[in-house]
Amino acid sequence: MIARIAELAAGYDQSGAFPAESLRIAHEAGLLTATIGKQYGGLGARAEESARILHRIGRGDPSVALIAAMTLNTHARQAVQPHWPEELYARLVKESFERPVLVNHARVEPELGSPARGGLPSTLARRTPDGWSLSGTKRFVTGAEGLDWFLVWATTDEPEPRVGTFLVPGGSPGIEITGRWDQLGLRASGSHDVTFQDVEIPYEHVIGIGPYGAAAEQDNRAGAALHLPLAALYLGVARAAQSFFHTFAQTRVPANLGHPVARTERFRRTAGEIEVLLTAAEELVFGGAARVDAADTSYTPEQALGARVLADRHGVRAVELAVRLLGNPGLARGNPLERHFRDIQCAPVHAPQEDISLLAIGTKALNP
């Protein structure tokens, strides 16, 4: 299954098209519904299993893994703390078992930037006789072209404004992709800009609504169950790069050497360093996720943030080492390693970024 996703990855990377076929394969393998809670008829996979799923898909195509991650996280959050309207979530689950149903948050805005750095949305939810009407533009909405549900973070126009997440069906009139995703890496993730223009939804299609203020902003210390699986996703990319590096080393026989470069001390030393980097990172990520699942109260949000920081660093460094040793062949277009190198650059970009994480970790360290 992952092998087939990997086969399709290069084509999707070149075209930037939405990876519908790969997502269908992932769905048929049960990967898109793995985190649906047992109380809803699902398997109830939690942080560690989510991390391992995204690690596997990430080895094949991290664009597909990132789109899957957003849907998996939605179900995982609902399983732990139900917050969707009951009938609406029941419908979501039923459809999800039948076909790939994709869900993602729409939070980042052109003026605001990432909510991880503070601030509140300018996207506006107006009260109407029948519900809400949403207007505003969101950026970097992963999987935008294929989303069945947009979870839109917006401010109400009430006399005392509130902030909440509005559940918007993907086919609603007034939704338009207004900026195309054209990045160095994860080119098939479809993380486009999306504009909502007077999009109407029922009154009850809102979750987590609360007072306008600091309490509505993003808590960067929370969310270990998402940070760790995301880190695992990119470690999957690094493992794919490592696999190509090994194949190259074992099959490349320079005329002046007379045997594979894998026998040389230079390649063996680098192979060892890459393995140490990735093994250590996986121990931190999978081990931390297991502690989250076990409700280990000694495992802090700061430790999860730290695991994410180190995993991202190790993954980027491991791929960089492979590319550096291969030289020009490693950066040739159409070479899987070149694509892995581009994709791994996206790892440190996800919120909360390293400086925000280190600030939270350092603040806790200085004020235990």
Side-chain angles (χ1 to χ4, degrees):
M1 181 272 296
I2 297 301
R4 178 56 182 157
I5 291 176
E7 287 176 5
L8 295 168
Y12 282 127
D13 174 76
Q14 290 173 7
S15 68
F18 181 74
E21 175 65 12
S22 295
L23 286 160
R24 183 191 63 77
I25 293 169
H27 175 264
E28 289 179 353
L31 301 185
L32 298 184
T33 54
T35 55
I36 293 176
K38 293 181 179 179
Q39 66 269 45
Y40 302 110
L43 297 176
R46 300 177 67 190
E48 183 181 5
E49 182 60 24
S50 294
R52 295 192 182 278
I53 287 171
L54 293 178
H55 186 272
R56 288 174 61 201
I57 303 177
R59 288 189 72 147
D61 188 340
S63 290
V64 175
L66 187 63
I67 295 170
M70 303 309 164
T71 296
L72 288 171
N73 184 56
T74 296
H75 291 305
R77 289 184 61 202
Q78 177 71 14
V80 173
Q81 187 174 10
H83 53 287
W84 278 58
E86 187 174 337
E87 291 185 5
L88 188 60
Y89 188 70
R91 190 177 96 198
L92 174 65
V93 168
K94 181 179 182 297
E95 293 176 356
S96 295
F97 285 131
E98 296 170 350
R99 62 179 179 84
V101 174
L102 304 175
V103 187
N104 193 12
H105 286 265
R107 292 177 61 85
V108 181
E109 296 184 346
E111 294 81 16
L112 175 66
S114 171
R117 297 184 182 276
L120 294 164
S122 60
T123 298
L124 190 66
R126 293 186 300 102
R127 285 291 287 116
T128 68
D130 300 316
W132 303 98
S133 176
L134 269 73
S135 294
T137 296
K138 298 295 186 178
R139 303 203 69 192
F140 311 132
V141 185
T142 295
E145 290 168 294
L147 292 182
D148 294 87
W149 290 93
F150 292 86
L151 278 56
V152 183
W153 194 46
T155 302
T156 70
D157 71 340
E158 298 165 312
E160 294 186 7
R162 296 180 293 165
V163 175
T165 298
F166 295 78
L167 309 176
V168 181
S172 301
I175 300 176
E176 181 182 1
I177 292 176
T178 50
R180 304 296 299 188
W181 172 255
D182 188 16
Q183 303 289 100
L184 179 73
L186 268 67
R187 292 183 50 77
S189 69
S191 302
H192 306 304
D193 295 359
V194 179
T195 295
F196 301 85
Q197 185 62 49
D198 299 323
V199 178
E200 296 186 3
I201 61 171
Y203 180 75
E204 63 273 13
H205 281 207
V206 59
I207 56 178
I209 195 164
Y212 190 101
E217 296 188 25
Q218 181 167 309
D219 181 0
N220 292 316
R221 293 175 62 257
L226 176 61
H227 301 325
L228 295 173
L230 272 180
L233 184 164
Y234 287 103
L235 290 175
V237 177
R239 285 294 188 186
Q242 179 194 43
S243 179
F244 181 85
F245 172 77
H246 286 177
T247 299
F248 179 92
Q250 291 158 357
T251 57
R252 170 63 174 153
V253 182
N256 66 330
L257 194 61
H259 58 74
V261 294
R263 297 185 192 177
T264 66
E265 184 176 315
R266 181 166 171 247
F267 269 80
R268 284 184 286 138
R269 182 183 297 113
T270 300
E273 185 171 357
I274 290 172
E275 180 61 28
V276 167
L277 286 169
L278 298 185
T279 299
E282 287 167 354
E283 289 283 345
L284 282 172
V285 169
F286 295 133
R291 293 176 68 181
V292 169
D293 289 344
D296 183 347
T297 56
S298 68
Y299 189 73
T300 66
E302 289 76 21
Q303 286 175 288
L305 288 173
R308 160 83 189 282
V309 168
L310 288 176
D312 288 350
R313 288 180 180 178
H314 284 203
V316 170
R317 178 59 176 160
V319 180
E320 181 184 76
L321 285 169
V323 169
R324 183 175 297 178
L325 200 58
L326 266 61
N328 276 330
L331 288 174
R333 293 294 296 269
N335 176 349
L337 186 56
E338 182 265 350
R339 172 163 44 88
H340 301 325
F341 178 75
R342 287 188 286 104
D343 287 339
I344 201 73
Q345 306 310 313
C346 298
V349 173
H350 287 291
Q353 293 175 351
E354 183 172 305
D355 63 316
I356 295 293
S357 295
L358 292 177
L359 177 61
I361 295 166
T363 299
K364 177 66 174 179
L366 291 171
N367 300 280

